[in-house]
Structures are given as C-alpha cells and as structure tokens.
C-alpha cells in the first residue's frame, strides 16, 4: 500500500496520527510548525522531533512539496506567477502580489475547475482534481520563500471553486492562520466563491473571521446563467438570502466581484439589477474590467461604463472600487490562470 500523503491531513488528522504513535499532544504543534510554518520538505529536517519518530513518520507518510516548473515576473509591477508540479505530477498556478510591506498570495484550491465560467481560462479548461489541504497551504509557503519574506495575506482566487473543495480549503486556511503555521490573520485570508450556497452557510458558522468574496458578475438571472453555467444550481434569490444570513450571523461584510464585460453585464438594466441586489446588504463591490482569455470573444467594458457603475454604486451608498490590474503582462491577472503554461 502506498504511504498516505501527510498533506492530505488537517490538524485533527495530524493529531490523531501522532496520538496513535503514542506521542504527547504538543507534538502536533511541532509538526505543524515544520510543515506549514517552515515548509519542511523532508521529515529528517524536523530536528526537534525524536529521531525514532521522524523515522516512524517517514515510513507512514509521504511528504510532498510543490516543485517549481516555471516562474514569470511582471516587468510592470513585480507580480510573480508560478507553475508548480505536485506529488502526483499535476500542475497548478499561484500568484504573488507584492505591495509595499505586504505580500498577498493568490492560491488555487483545485486543479482546473468544473464551473465553466465563460470569461475564465481555468473554467474553459475543465476540472482535473481537488487539491489536498497541504497542497493549498504550501503555495503560500513556497511563494513567500521565493520573495524571501512572509505572506501577510492569502486569497483563494486562483484556479478552482474553493467551496467545491470545502474541507481541504478550510483545513488549509487553518494552517495558514495558525500561530505555529503561517500566522496570517483570519481577516487577511479570503475565500472567493462563484456562489456555492452550502459553502457560504458553512463559512458563516466557522469560528474564524475569514473574509468572504462572491463572484456575482450579474444580478440578472438569465445573464448570470449564461456567464456562469456551473452556478445555475444556486439562484440569485437564494444567494441573496444566504448572504443576508451570512452578514447577520457574522457581522462581516461581503465582497462582490463583478467582471465588466462589454454589452453583456454592463448595461443600464444590469446596473439597476446590481443596485437592487446590493441594497440593504453590508457589501463592497469590486469592479474588474474583464481580462482577455484565449478563445473567448468577451471584451472589456469601456472606461466610461466602468466609471458609470462605480459612480452609481457609490451614489447609492454602496462601497465600490475598481480592481487594479496586476501581472497582465505575464497572464497572471484574474481569470488568466491555467493548469499548464503553454510555452
Ligand atoms: N473560482 C473562484 C475564485 C477564483 S477567480 C471564483 O470564481 O470566485 C477570482 C475572480 O476573478 C473571480 O471573481 C472570477 O470570477 C474572476 N474572473 C475570472 N475570469 C476573469 C476574467 N477573465 N477577467 C476578470 N475577472 C475574472
Ligand atoms: Fe471556476 Fe472561478 Fe473560473 Fe468560474 S471564475 S470557472 S468558478 S475558477
């Protein structure tokens, strides 16, 4: 039987494995520190664990760490895009976004994505598999190591629908949040969903104050259905209710992502629907002029339309901003990630 991958375990799983080896409780923190605080690539490096335990762990578990296949650095703004090879040969991308003393890592939660959004390169390529908790968290460790600093923020906005891989994403966020892990504040850890309602409900009930972003892209059901076919299962009316409940339970604000596409979701009727959707909800709208992806004819809204949306939202008392494009020269902007880099 092949050894289990230690990266498949959440914190409880690690604690149980150590307990079954007769180890005291404090070993869990030590192991988490090695795996997610320091990014160990071998059990042998874990010098404060007894040698016999290191051997025992190495016999039971494989320990994979993402291997760098390709790194691109934006000449425009220092954004770095990475293609990693995982333990089984699958590849995923992550992005590192430096800004002053901050480093935000945009991580993937799945290899590919099944949601099939029309404007997204990941969605066009289809779904391969879920990432393991450790494979999600390791992207942050690996990117921070490359920058020679610690990550201050992480956003699950790379490839994949995080709530289609809820348990692994949450387990990873807990490793990233943990003092003995990456030590990133819960509010600085953001999960972005295409609107998977059961995931939104579960997140509302978690004890941590993780930040929620929702890819809205249209508040008109028929438009949203055609742009985001995978999200049809969760209609806008129910989504609106689930978000109101989320705000009520957590007291936290929701961020909406709205990729503005010329003639598709940037009309006056779309704007009015968006205003109605946001009315009375504690939210922030992030307007993203859509980025080009290969094989898609969708074009960016004009500057005037983007400004019209921003102004109308703000005038109605809805917080709104236009997302600054980063890493476009290396195809690292929103929606441009793919599981393979075509050389
Ligand atoms: N799968 C998750 C998280 C990743 S995508 C989700 O969809 O929420 C991060 C954001 O970029 C999402 O809002 C996504 O809809 C948006 N996006 C995808 N393709 C884009 C494109 N071509 N231009 C601009 N934004 C895009
Ligand atoms: Fe998947 Fe998000 Fe891309 Fe939609 S936008 S296909 S949910 S990664």
């Amino acid at each position: 039987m092949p050894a289990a991958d230690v990266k498949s375990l959440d914190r409880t799983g690690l604690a149980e494995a150590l307990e079954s080896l007769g180890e005291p409780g404090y070993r869990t923190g030590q192991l988490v520190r090695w795996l997610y605080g320091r990014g160990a690539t071998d059990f042998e490096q874990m010098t404060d664990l007894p040698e016999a335990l290191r051997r025992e762990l190495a016999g039971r578990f494989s320990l994979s760490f993402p291997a760098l296949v390709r790194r691109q650095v934006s000449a425009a703004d220092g954004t770095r895009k990475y293609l990693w090879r995982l333990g089984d040969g699958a590849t995923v991308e992550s992005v590192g976004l430096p800004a002053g003393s901050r480093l935000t890592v945009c991580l993937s939660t799945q290899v590919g994505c099944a949601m099939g959004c029309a404007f997204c390169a990941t969605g066009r390529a289809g779904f391969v598999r879920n990432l393991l908790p450790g494979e999600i968290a390791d992207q942050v460790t690996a990117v921070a190591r490359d920058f020679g600093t610690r990550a201050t923020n992480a956003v699950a906005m790379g490839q994949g629908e995080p709530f289609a891989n809820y348990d692994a994403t949450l387990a990873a966020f807990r490793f990233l949040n943990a003092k003995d892990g990456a030590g990133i504040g819960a509010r600085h850890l953001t999960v972005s969903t295409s609107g998977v309602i059961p995931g939104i409900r579960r997140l509302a009930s978690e004890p941590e104050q993780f930040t929620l972003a929702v890819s809205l892209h249209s508040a008109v059901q028929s438009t949203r259905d055609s742009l985001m076919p995978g999200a049809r299962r969760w209609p806008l009316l129910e989504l609106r209710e689930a978000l109101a409940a989320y705000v009520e339970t957590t007291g936290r604000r929701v961020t909406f992502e709205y990729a503005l596409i010329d003639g598709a979701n940037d009309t006056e009727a779309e704007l009015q629907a968006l205003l109605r959707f946001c009315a009375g909800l504690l939210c922030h709208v992030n307007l993203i002029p859509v980025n080009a992806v290969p094989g898609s004819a969708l074009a960016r809204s004009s500057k005037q339309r983007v400004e019209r949306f921003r102004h109308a939202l703000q005038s109605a008392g809805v917080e709104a901003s236009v997302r600054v494009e980063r890493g476009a020269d290396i195809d690292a902007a929103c929606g441009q990630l793919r599981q393979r880099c075509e050389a």
Side-chain angles (χ1 to χ4, degrees):
M1 207 177 80
D5 192 330
V6 76
K7 297 295 166 71
S8 67
L9 300 178
D10 62 8
R11 194 182 187 99
T12 309
L14 292 176
E16 283 168 1
L18 288 164
E19 198 188 333
S20 75
L21 294 170
E23 293 296 326
Y26 65 84
R27 293 270 184 243
T28 307
Q30 286 180 303
L31 186 54
V32 169
R33 187 174 301 279
W34 281 109
L35 292 173
Y36 301 110
R38 298 182 181 145
T41 52
D42 198 307
F43 289 107
E44 269 315 299
Q45 296 162 353
M46 305 182 181
T47 46
D48 57 0
L49 300 184
E51 210 190 311
L53 175 59
R54 287 179 345 228
R55 232 177 300 124
E56 189 82 47
L57 289 170
R60 272 194 188 209
F61 297 107
S62 59
L63 197 176
S64 59
F65 194 79
L68 183 65
V69 179
R70 172 168 158 161
R71 185 183 87 143
Q72 291 163 276
V73 180
S74 164
D77 57 34
T79 297
R80 300 182 191 176
K81 182 168 83 165
Y82 305 83
L83 179 71
W84 309 108
R85 180 169 296 110
L86 306 175
D88 67 346
T91 52
V92 280
E93 290 187 320
S94 329
V95 179
L97 301 133
S101 59
R102 289 191 312 159
L103 173 64
T104 300
V105 178
C106 178
L107 56 80
S108 296
T109 55
Q110 299 183 308
V111 183
C113 183
M115 303 303 288
C117 300
F119 43 80
C120 172
T122 305
R124 297 175 74 86
F127 174 72
V128 181
R129 74 163 170 89
N130 280 329
L131 293 183
L132 302 174
E135 291 174 329
I136 299 171
D138 282 349
Q139 296 169 55
V140 176
T141 318
V143 171
R145 182 176 289 170
D146 184 56
F147 275 90
T149 179
R150 60 177 290 274
T152 56
N153 300 65
V155 294
M157 292 188 182
Q159 289 158 278
E161 166 48 56
F163 288 165
N165 188 18
Y166 187 97
D167 291 336
T169 300
L170 242 279
F173 269 36
R174 291 194 167 132
F175 285 135
L176 293 172
N177 178 226
K179 289 262 181 311
D180 46 19
I184 302 175
R187 285 166 183 268
H188 297 154
L189 292 166
T190 300
V191 59
S192 172
T193 178
S194 57
V196 177
I197 291 177
I200 294 169
R201 294 227 166 90
R202 281 181 74 182
L203 192 72
S205 69
E206 305 291 358
E208 296 91 351
Q209 305 207 313
F210 298 133
T211 297
L212 175 67
V214 174
S215 298
L216 188 60
H217 304 315
S218 176
V220 175
Q221 191 65 55
S222 55
T223 310
R224 197 165 190 267
D225 286 351
S226 66
L227 289 175
M228 306 176 71
R232 283 181 200 175
R233 266 183 77 184
W234 296 286
L236 283 165
L237 267 178
E238 285 169 40
L239 179 62
R240 179 68 176 69
E241 275 170 27
L243 292 171
Y246 173 90
V247 171
E248 169 82 26
T249 310
T250 63
R252 300 200 298 277
R253 181 181 88 164
V254 176
T255 298
F256 288 127
E257 291 151 298
Y258 199 106
L260 281 160
I261 307 167
D262 184 41
N265 62 0
D266 68 347
T267 61
E268 274 308 296
E270 289 279 340
L271 174 55
Q272 295 312 317
L274 176 61
L275 289 168
R276 282 194 301 275
F277 196 86
C278 294
L281 190 71
L282 184 61
C283 65
H284 176 109
V285 179
N286 214 198
L287 300 166
I288 317 168
V290 77
N291 295 304
V293 306
S296 159
L298 302 173
R300 226 169 231 216
S301 304
S302 68
K303 281 209 170 69
Q304 290 86 328
R305 289 310 299 161
V306 176
E307 272 315 299
R308 165 81 184 125
F309 265 62
R310 190 177 63 80
H311 185 256
L313 286 160
Q314 289 175 342
S315 303
V318 181
E319 277 184 66
S321 53
V322 179
R323 186 174 288 177
V324 178
E325 182 179 85
R326 303 270 320 250
D329 57 332
I330 53 168
D331 283 351
C334 300
Q336 295 188 317
L337 302 191
R338 280 172 283 174
Q339 53 259 36
R340 246 165 249 295
C341 275
E342 279 95 74

